[in-house]
């Protein structure tokens, strides 16, 4: 049994062609939307990974610096030089101003 397309009316052919074209456009749009969703998800995942790595590095640096400062504040200098340093310079005037006392800075 052979099917003769010349027997089909022009309106029917246009209708079927429109449906096929709509199906092709729909499949293309669905593929593009899915690809966009995947790319956005991959981009967000990459951003979260990079942000967490940088945040971890910053926290690590802050923790290391905090430990270093606290360790430095507990170190006792031989001969109690730190106490002598603070008393030696208190009350001396600065050469350029003549009025402001020098301050021995130390971490609290």
């Amino acid at each position: 049994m052979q099917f003769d397309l010349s027997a089909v009316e022009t309106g029917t052919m246009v209708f079927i062609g429109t449906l096929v074209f709509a199906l092709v456009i729909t499949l293309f749009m669905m593929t593009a939307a899915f690809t966009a969703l995947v790319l956005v998800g991959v981009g967000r995942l990459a951003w979260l990974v990079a942000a967490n790595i940088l945040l971890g590095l910053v926290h690590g640096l802050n923790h290391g610096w905090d430990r270093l400062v606290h360790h430095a504040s507990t170190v006792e200098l031989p001969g109690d030089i730190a106490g002598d340093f603070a008393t030696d310079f208190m009350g001396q005037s600065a050469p350029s101003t003549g009025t402001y006392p020098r301050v021995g800075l130390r971490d609290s």
Side-chain angles (χ1 to χ4, degrees):
M1 175 172 166
Q2 291 185 343
F3 185 73
D4 187 16
L5 282 178
S6 61
V8 179
E9 291 184 15
T10 306
T12 305
M13 297 273 287
V14 169
F15 180 73
I16 292 173
T18 303
L19 289 179
V20 169
F21 187 70
L23 180 66
V24 168
I25 288 177
T26 302
L27 290 175
F28 175 76
M29 290 179 64
M30 288 174 55
T31 304
F34 181 73
T35 304
L37 285 173
V38 168
L39 289 175
V40 167
V42 168
R44 178 154 170 87
L45 178 65
W47 171 255
L48 287 175
V49 167
N52 284 330
I53 287 172
L54 288 175
L55 192 62
L57 287 173
V58 168
H59 282 299
L61 287 172
N62 285 341
H63 178 69
W65 181 254
D66 193 42
R67 287 187 63 199
L68 180 70
V69 167
H70 285 306
H71 175 69
S73 68
T74 61
V75 170
E76 291 294 328
L77 296 175
D80 196 32
I81 295 174
D84 294 339
F85 177 78
T87 57
D88 286 344
F89 289 107
M90 292 303 287
Q92 288 185 359
S93 61
S96 62
T97 62
T99 56
Y100 295 106
R102 291 187 181 182
V103 178
L105 298 177
R106 183 179 171 104
D107 288 326
S108 56

